[in-house]
Amino acid sequence: MSEQLNEQELVYYIASHTDAKPENIRLVLKHEAAFISNAHKGASDDVDIDSDELVDYVLSRSDVKLDELTVETILDLEMDYLMEKGLAGYVD
């Protein structure tokens, strides 16, 4: 995990694979970060994030005007990007 996250590159990567606008991508990523941060509060170990709950949380935000498939695609592409960069992976 030698590379650091480059948000601009991440947003460009996602935008190049979807019809989502960069500002909507940033909004989804912002709400995702808040969801993950809240999940980690009070946890002493790793936290298992349920992707359906995450998508529901993002969609419940009043400033998100995207459909469920778009939000899921943005989050999936973010994970693809992070895995390509060696910054994330799935735990079995």
Side-chain angles (χ1 to χ4, degrees), residues 25-82:
I25 294 167
R26 285 187 185 90
L27 186 62
V28 168
L29 297 177
K30 177 186 88 167
H31 288 305
E32 174 198 29
F35 180 86
I36 292 171
S37 176
N38 286 336
H40 280 282
K41 285 184 180 171
S44 59
D45 205 357
D46 289 339
V47 176
D48 187 27
I49 303 294
D50 181 279
S51 61
D52 291 332
E53 288 178 13
L54 173 58
V55 170
D56 289 345
Y57 174 83
V58 172
L59 289 171
S60 73
R61 305 297 92 191
S62 62
D63 55 348
V64 175
K65 307 296 183 210
L66 300 170
D67 60 78
E68 183 175 354
L69 181 59
T70 302
V71 171
E72 286 177 351
T73 302
I74 289 169
L75 295 172
D76 288 345
L77 285 167
E78 176 196 23
M79 190 62 172
D80 291 348
Y81 173 87
L82 294 173

Side-chain angles (χ1 to χ4, degrees), residues 3-18 20-22 24-30 32-33 73-85 87-88:
E3 292 197 40
Q4 289 188 323
L5 179 62
N6 179 329
E7 183 183 350
Q8 184 174 343
E9 185 179 281
L10 170 61
V11 171
Y12 175 78
Y13 176 88
I14 295 170
S16 70
H17 290 82
T18 67
K21 295 179 182 177
N24 288 329
I25 294 167
R26 285 187 185 90
L27 186 62
V28 168
L29 297 177
K30 177 186 88 167
E32 174 198 29
T73 302
I74 289 169
L75 295 172
D76 288 345
L77 285 167
E78 176 196 23
M79 190 62 172
D80 291 348
Y81 173 87
L82 294 173
M83 288 175 57
E84 284 178 19
K85 296 294 183 180
L87 297 171

